[in-house]
Amino acid sequence: MNFPSFGDAETFRQIGDQCALALRGQESLFKGCYNGIRSIGSALYFALPPLLSGDPVTQSYTILAFNLFWLALMYQAVLRIVELRMPTAGMCNAGVGLARILVGALTLLLALPLLPVALSDMPAATLFAIGLGFMVRLPGRLIDALLAGLFMALGGLIKQNYLVFSAFAVLALIVTMPWRPRIHSWSQLLRCAAMFAAGFSVSLTQVWWIWAHTGHVHVYDPAMNAVFADVRNQPNVELIAFSLPHTGAYISQLDAPVSRASHYAIKLWQGLFAYRHAVYLGEPPADAPSTLHVDRWLLACAWASVAAFTGICCLLARYSRGRREKAALVFSVAAIIFTVAIIHVENRYFFLPKLILLALACAVVCRRIFSERPMRTLPLAAGVPRLDPFNIIAYVACVLICALLFQQPDLFHTTASSYAYLTGHFVDFYDYNQGIVARNDYLPIIYVIFAIWMLPWHILGAAGDVGHLGMMSLSTGEILWAKSLLAVAFAIVAAGVYRCALLLAEGTRDAARLATVAFATSPIAIFAVFIFGQYDVIALCFAIWGFFFYLTRDLNRFAVLFAFAIPFKYFALLAFIPLLLFAEKRPLAIIRLGAIGVSLTLLQFLLYAGSPAFRGSIFHLAGTKLGDAAVPLLHSPRLHLALAMALICLVAYVRRPASAASFRREAVLFPIAAYGCFLASVDWHPQWLIITMPFIALSTILVRRRSLLLIGELFAMAGLVWVSANQWVGNVDATMLQLGVWRQHFQVQYMTMADLMPLVATSWWKLWLQIFLLLPVALVVFERLWRQPAHVVAGSSLAGLKSRMWLGVAFFVLPALACGLISRDAAQRWNRNAWVQEATVVPLASEGERPVGAIWGGEVVSQRFVVPRNGLIGVGLQFATYARINLGELQWSLTDSQGRTVAQGIEKQQLLRDNAFQDFRLSRMDNSAGQSYTLTLSAPQVLPAHAVTVWMTSASALPSGMSPAQAGDKPVSGALVMRLLYAR
């Protein structure tokens, strides 16, 4: 194991070694165990490992063993504080058990950074928590008061800030104590106070120790403590200690002054809401650079954290029960505020109050969910809406506006491709389209269906001539007609959900209507069909009706319908295999039904196997989503997906339901599990999430607490928007306004949605999306384990379903409209590249095939090019960030043919987006035509783990006017993917 030992950890080790020598009599105890900043208790504590062993390695493992011991005690102490050590009234055993598990996981998670290091935080926090556990029981037995004071004093003797925390604990007790004479006599209170003071008097040892050495009555040496006086003030925020590539530390600082309240808000955000997996990190974290840029986003996040902290505390105050919980809440709030105000931020300073606050939240939430009282029906699970005309009109208006406002270009591509069938190109479909739409990635069934749907336009002569004008020339009428196909398919899927829900609910129409409306109002489904305009919903028509016949045990029709669904991007195959194994155990029957299911797919492969264009494109998209073949197998998503599917299929095959009703209920879970594992293992596209939404809607019949599903989907929609806006910049964002029916109003956009949604939170949103996709399975399994049968709630409230739909759709529509309508001057405050929208962009080299190599240290990359026209105002390169946030600065310069520097600048690497262009602004060059320039990139201060790169073309596709790129002094085969920007 690696035990980091520098900074505070090294100081404690040195103090322990000196104190151990003093305790052995080799040095003066008065001098050897003294440090003006570190307490006498910490000196004696860290003297124990050297006293036990002289081997540094054994000492490190001794400290680890001590910390593990303190971890176990901390868990028990927190359970005592929030009243979870024994089953409590008002909460069933399942709730108590879940709360204990959550508290244990949180204790381990928050304590994990402290376990392998020699710091005083763990023992001090644990001793103080034990004392707090006794204090929240007061007034009671006098021994409790004595032990409360003693343990709090011991914690303060090891880390002095816990002496101040003791005052907050007393304050919390006083605030929450019922001051009624008939409950507590004054004499009893005075006796408890006296016993507490007697126990706490041990802390006077630290005061005496400092007085004996300095003559000051204080817990620190005032002269040594004065060094830290300015650390709490602006511009200092958070101390970061790191070990790669060398040990070091810095305090992140604001680059501009802010108000004191805003400074405290930023410190709260960095301290309370950030999580550091180690005290001594490997590399500095991306979200805490040495300089924090003060902008609207930083202040918005800071004040949002204040609002979140306030809201959480108010909710806990409202729903906490009993004096213990309220006292724990008051203490946590006071300790957090004190920590924010009194010193710079370190994540470990918030360890104990954050843990108590989270443990209290676990107790409150579990009590609300697992209350032994009759469960009050929540609005989100209130049951079945009445489809009155107003709700129907509002729903139709919502989806219609979405359909008219937005469109992603894939629908243009597929519709234009289908015209080849209408013009007689049945045999050479893929080869013919290669010169028009470049590539067709799907099997013919998709294009055949679109061709049939577009046939009326072809007969009337209204279909566009895409062979001459290109696919983007489709008229508004053509696009509306193509999108109407998606609307019809969506209605067919909703009808299939209703029929399946009737079987699952055993004929209960109210429950079936609930599941149907849950699907129809799903913001993720509305996004995929009406906003994005994708056609996976057509495959769902066959899949959901095949699933209906599956529930009736008509396996032949099930296999036939899935045979039509599988050729649509092959998604349905993931659900077909486990469903088949769950329903059929006979090997010959499995083979027969499986052959039916894949028959249509194999037939289409055979029909076009002789086409070079078909063979070159049909697996192109699928291959890119399953990961790079060069990635080691253990890290490949192909292996992860194969293992997950193997486990799901194994469970499906060995599982034998006890009844037909159990068979139908359990069958819903297999598509959810299969699709959830698939989407967690591949680089998915946003519209793909619709494939699992009908089955998640059906799971509302199976779970008891449907509100968790609906709320979870609302947050999943927010995550989908956030991830899409950052991962598909210029594709799945406000850019879709420029292809919608009302596109004439949004032709110039000065800002993208990625400018409003920072990349740093993308990984967390993606993680929540993956959790949500498997949430129904987890809920069903959990409720079954804890013997909580599902029930059908009847009612008439529509508030929850409407709120989920409107809020979910608004997560995308409102930011998109803001980006589409914002003025240039306003956009420049958010987007430093707003000027690009007023330039003429001309690609100079495109179709990147490989990166040029990591740019860091002494690596320099350069590209010489010739400008073909006058009016050059910018140069852009397509960067690759290796799908991570990279720290450091990238330097660029532009020199002319004489070697003179024309322009230069510095870009912050954390602002670069993966696979997106970054444009460098230049002063207007009116005489740039025919001039040769060299663009040079370098990053001398960047670490290898934070290096970025630039995409390159192939050697055979070297554009005119461009020389091979240079990596250092050596040419490389190919040119950098580049674009030039000209003044209009």
Side-chain angles (χ1 to χ4, degrees):
M1 292 183 66
N2 178 24
F3 298 94
S5 182
F6 63 95
D8 286 354
E10 183 61 25
T11 301
F12 281 119
R13 286 180 180 271
Q14 294 174 359
I15 294 173
D17 291 339
Q18 294 174 3
C19 191
L21 292 176
L23 292 174
R24 291 194 182 104
Q26 301 176 13
E27 190 177 338
S28 168
L29 185 66
F30 187 77
K31 180 181 178 181
C33 292
Y34 174 73
N35 183 281
I37 297 298
R38 311 304 170 187
S39 63
I40 177 62
S42 63
L44 294 172
Y45 174 77
F46 286 104
L48 292 176
L51 289 174
L52 295 174
S53 173
D55 180 22
V57 176
T58 304
Q59 293 175 17
S60 295
Y61 279 102
T62 302
I63 292 173
L64 175 62
F66 286 173
N67 285 339
L68 292 175
F69 170 73
W70 295 123
L71 176 66
L73 289 182
M74 173 64 77
Y75 174 59
Q76 293 297 322
V78 173
L79 291 182
R80 177 187 288 272
I81 293 171
V82 295
E83 295 187 280
L84 287 176
R85 289 193 64 190
M86 302 293 290
T88 59
M91 192 191 315
C92 63
N93 290 335
V96 175
L98 178 60
R100 289 175 180 171
I101 293 173
L102 292 176
V103 171
L106 288 171
T107 304
L108 178 61
L109 183 67
L110 295 180
L112 192 61
L114 303 172
L115 295 181
V117 290
L119 293 173
S120 60
D121 299 82
M122 199 68 201
T126 303
L127 290 169
F128 183 87
I130 294 173
L132 187 62
F134 285 111
M135 170 164 275
V136 293
R137 301 169 62 178
L138 299 179
R141 298 182 305 169
L142 297 181
I143 188 64
D144 289 340
L146 177 66
L147 292 175
L150 177 62
F151 279 104
M152 286 185 175
L154 292 176
L157 280 178
I158 295 179
K159 193 173 179 67
Q160 294 97 311
N161 65 309
Y162 285 99
L163 296 176
V164 182
F165 282 9
S166 300
F168 297 146
V170 174
L171 174 66
L173 183 67
I174 294 173
V175 169
T176 58
M177 184 177 294
W179 293 97
R180 289 179 292 180
R182 65 177 182 273
I183 297 179
H184 304 299
S185 65
W186 287 106
S187 60
Q188 181 187 13
L189 294 176
L190 291 175
R191 285 195 298 270
C192 286
M195 294 299 290
F196 176 82
F200 195 72
S201 64
V202 176
S203 63
L204 295 176
T205 305
Q206 175 65 18
V207 179
W208 171 81
W209 193 241
I210 296 296
W211 174 82
H213 285 83
T214 66
H216 295 279
V217 179
H218 207 284
V219 294
Y220 296 100
D221 183 335
M224 298 182 67
N225 194 43
V227 178
F228 302 95
D230 293 332
V231 176
R232 75 192 67 170
N233 301 323
Q234 292 192 54
N236 301 314
V237 177
E238 181 180 10
L239 186 143
I240 297 294
F242 57 91
S243 58
L244 293 177
H246 53 76
T247 59
Y250 62 82
I251 296 181
S252 60
Q253 296 182 334
L254 304 175
D255 64 356
V258 297
S259 66
R260 178 174 295 184
S262 295
H263 183 225
Y264 288 167
I266 294 170
K267 291 168 68 176
L268 178 72
W269 177 40
Q270 293 288 327
L272 187 63
F273 289 89
Y275 175 74
R276 308 286 179 231
H277 64 277
V279 176
Y280 301 108
L281 302 167
E283 296 176 351
D287 60 343
S290 58
T291 301
L292 293 173
H293 179 56
V294 177
D295 54 12
R296 290 186 177 183
W297 172 250
L298 180 69
L299 295 176
C301 289
W303 283 106
S305 67
V306 173
F309 175 64
T310 305
I312 291 171
C313 293
C314 291
L315 289 174
L316 292 179
R318 167 64 179 83
Y319 293 108
S320 59
R321 196 187 65 181
R323 188 167 51 81
R324 288 192 189 185
E325 292 184 357
K326 293 185 184 299
L329 175 61
V330 173
F331 163 76
S332 299
V333 173
I336 289 171
I337 293 175
F338 168 80
T339 305
V340 167
I342 204 64
I343 199 170
H344 67 275
V345 168
E346 282 192 54
N347 217 238
R348 57 192 175 103
Y349 294 167
F350 294 85
F351 167 60
L352 183 60
K354 185 193 296 188
L355 176 59
I356 293 177
L357 196 66
L358 291 174
L360 181 59
C362 291
V364 170
V365 171
C366 289
R367 184 167 57 244
R368 297 290 298 174
I369 296 176
F370 294 94
S371 174
E372 290 183 336
R373 295 173 299 174
M375 188 181 69
R376 184 170 58 91
T377 302
L378 299 176
L380 285 176
V384 185
R386 294 176 180 172
L387 300 179
D388 57 85
F390 175 80
N391 288 323
I392 294 175
I393 292 172
Y395 174 77
V396 172
C398 174
V399 298
L400 182 60
I401 290 173
C402 290
L404 294 176
L405 276 174
F406 302 97
Q407 181 54 51
Q408 202 267 351
D410 282 6
L411 188 64
F412 289 80
H413 185 281
T414 304
T415 304
S417 298
S418 70
Y419 285 168
Y421 280 123
L422 298 179
T423 54
H425 295 278
F426 299 103
V427 178
D428 63 338
F429 173 81
Y430 289 90
D431 301 280
Y432 172 78
N433 272 332
Q434 194 170 28
I436 299 175
V437 296
R439 191 178 69 237
N440 293 114
D441 295 323
Y442 309 126
L443 290 175
I445 186 172
I446 296 177
Y447 306 107
V448 169
I449 290 177
F450 268 91
I452 295 172
W453 187 259
M454 300 304 296
L455 184 60
W457 286 85
H458 179 70
I459 295 174
L460 296 174
D465 187 2
V466 297
H468 293 86
L469 301 177
M471 66 177 185
M472 301 306 292
S473 65
L474 298 180
S475 65
T476 298
E478 289 175 281
I479 294 302
L480 282 176
W481 182 248
K483 295 194 80 166
S484 67
L485 169 62
L486 309 183
V488 171
F490 189 79
I492 293 173
V493 174
V497 170
Y498 178 75
R499 294 295 299 274
C500 292
L502 275 178
L503 293 174
L504 290 170
E506 300 179 354
T508 306
R509 294 185 178 274
D510 286 347
R513 289 171 58 202
L514 172 65
T516 307
V517 175
F519 169 73
T521 58
S522 166
I524 294 178
I526 292 173
F527 171 82
V529 176
F530 297 102
I531 295 178
F532 196 106
Q534 257 289 352
Y535 30 82
D536 297 286
V537 68
I538 302 175
L540 272 179
C541 293
F542 298 103
I544 195 65
W545 282 98
F547 185 69
F548 165 73
F549 287 112
Y550 178 86
L551 296 179
T552 63
R553 301 303 291 261
D554 188 345
L555 298 185
N556 290 321
R557 292 187 182 182
F558 155 72
V560 169
L561 285 170
F562 265 82
F564 283 90
I566 290 172
F568 288 83
K569 305 183 183 179
Y570 323 113
F571 296 146
L573 183 63
L574 298 169
F576 177 73
I577 296 175
L579 286 174
L580 178 58
L581 295 176
F582 184 57
E584 186 58 75
K585 311 300 181 184
R586 297 170 298 173
L588 292 179
I590 292 174
I591 295 173
R592 179 181 65 84
L593 293 171
I596 295 174
V598 299
S599 58
L600 189 56
T601 303
L602 296 178
L603 177 62
Q604 294 176 78
F605 275 109
L606 292 174
L607 287 175
Y608 288 94
S611 169
F614 174 82
R615 295 195 303 270
S617 63
I618 196 63
F619 288 118
H620 178 269
L621 186 62
T624 60
K625 299 306 173 185
L626 288 175
D628 189 352
V631 175
L633 183 62
L634 290 178
H635 302 284
S636 171
R638 297 188 298 274
L639 176 63
H640 302 163
L641 179 59
L643 293 176
M645 286 301 301
L647 178 61
I648 293 171
C649 291
L650 178 63
V651 172
Y653 187 72
V654 301
R655 182 68 181 163
R656 297 178 183 273
S659 64
S662 297
F663 168 80
R664 290 191 290 267
R665 287 194 298 268
E666 294 178 18
V668 177
L669 303 180
F670 288 105
I672 298 175
Y675 288 144
C677 293
F678 165 70
L679 294 170
S681 303
V682 302
D683 185 14
W684 46 265
H685 277 192
Q687 74 278 14
W688 291 359
L689 269 66
I690 194 177
I691 63 178
T692 190
M693 297 315 299
F695 301 100
I696 291 180
L698 289 173
S699 70
T700 58
I701 298 175
L702 309 181
V703 299
R704 182 181 180 187
R705 292 171 177 83
R706 306 183 183 102
S707 59
L708 295 179
L709 276 182
L710 301 182
I711 295 174
E713 184 181 353
L714 189 60
F715 283 98
M717 179 61 185
L720 176 63
V721 173
W722 201 290
V723 173
S724 301
N726 282 280
Q727 194 163 337
W728 290 277
V729 179
N731 189 343
V732 189
D733 56 7
T735 311
M736 292 193 292
L737 288 167
Q738 297 178 334
L739 298 177
V741 174
W742 293 329
R743 53 183 175 267
Q744 66 272 16
H745 302 293
F746 305 100
Q747 287 308 300
V748 178
Q749 294 183 7
Y750 296 102
M751 192 166 64
T752 66
M753 291 172 64
D755 298 315
L756 302 176
M757 303 173 183
L759 184 64
V760 66
T762 302
S763 58
W764 293 103
W765 282 117
K766 186 175 289 188
L767 176 62
W768 170 248
L769 268 171
Q770 294 170 352
I771 293 173
F772 165 73
L773 294 174
L774 294 172
L775 183 61
V777 178
L779 287 176
V780 171
V781 172
F782 176 79
E783 291 176 355
R784 175 170 295 187
L785 289 176
W786 293 102
R787 307 286 185 181
Q788 295 180 350
H791 65 278
V792 176
V793 183
S796 58
S797 174
L798 191 55
L801 293 171
K802 288 197 300 184
S803 299
R804 180 195 59 152
M805 183 188 76
W806 289 110
L807 288 175
V809 172
F811 283 150
F812 182 87
V813 173
L814 294 183
L817 288 176
C819 293
L821 299 174
I822 194 169
S823 66
R824 182 188 62 182
D825 294 337
Q828 286 178 342
R829 302 174 185 174
W830 296 85
N831 181 16
R832 59 201 180 101
N833 291 321
W835 61 276
V836 175
Q837 303 301 324
E838 294 188 341
T840 300
V841 180
V842 178
L844 194 59
S846 56
E847 296 295 330
E849 292 193 354
R850 68 187 192 283
V852 68
I855 305 173
W856 66 278
E859 297 291 331
V860 177
V861 173
S862 61
Q863 175 67 60
R864 189 176 67 83
F865 61 96
V866 177
V867 181
R869 51 189 280 192
N870 292 324
L872 183 69
I873 61 171
V875 180
L877 294 175
Q878 187 182 21
F879 282 87
T881 66
Y882 300 99
R884 67 190 181 209
I885 298 174
N886 300 289
L887 298 179
E889 294 178 337
L890 179 76
Q891 300 177 7
W892 65 271
S893 64
L894 187 71
T895 56
D896 60 16
S897 57
Q898 304 300 320
R900 294 172 299 191
T901 300
V902 176
Q904 60 184 356
I906 296 176
E907 301 292 329
K908 292 184 177 181
Q909 291 194 153
Q910 56 264 38
L911 300 179
L912 299 178
R913 299 192 177 276
D914 198 24
N915 302 324
F917 276 91
Q918 174 62 42
D919 299 297
F920 307 132
R921 192 170 189 176
L922 312 172
S923 299
R924 177 167 175 158
M925 301 179 185
D926 292 324
N927 299 313
S928 57
Q931 299 295 319
S932 174
Y933 297 96
T934 301
L935 181 63
T936 304
L937 302 175
S938 63
Q941 303 300 323
V942 170
L943 302 175
H946 288 277
V948 300
T949 187
V950 181
W951 282 104
M952 292 184 60
T953 65
S954 63
S956 59
L958 194 64
S960 175
M962 297 188 72
S963 302
Q966 297 271 336
D969 297 330
K970 298 179 181 180
V972 292
S973 57
L976 302 185
V977 176
M978 178 181 290
R979 68 183 187 182
L980 303 180
L981 296 92
Y982 300 94
R984 292 180 179 176

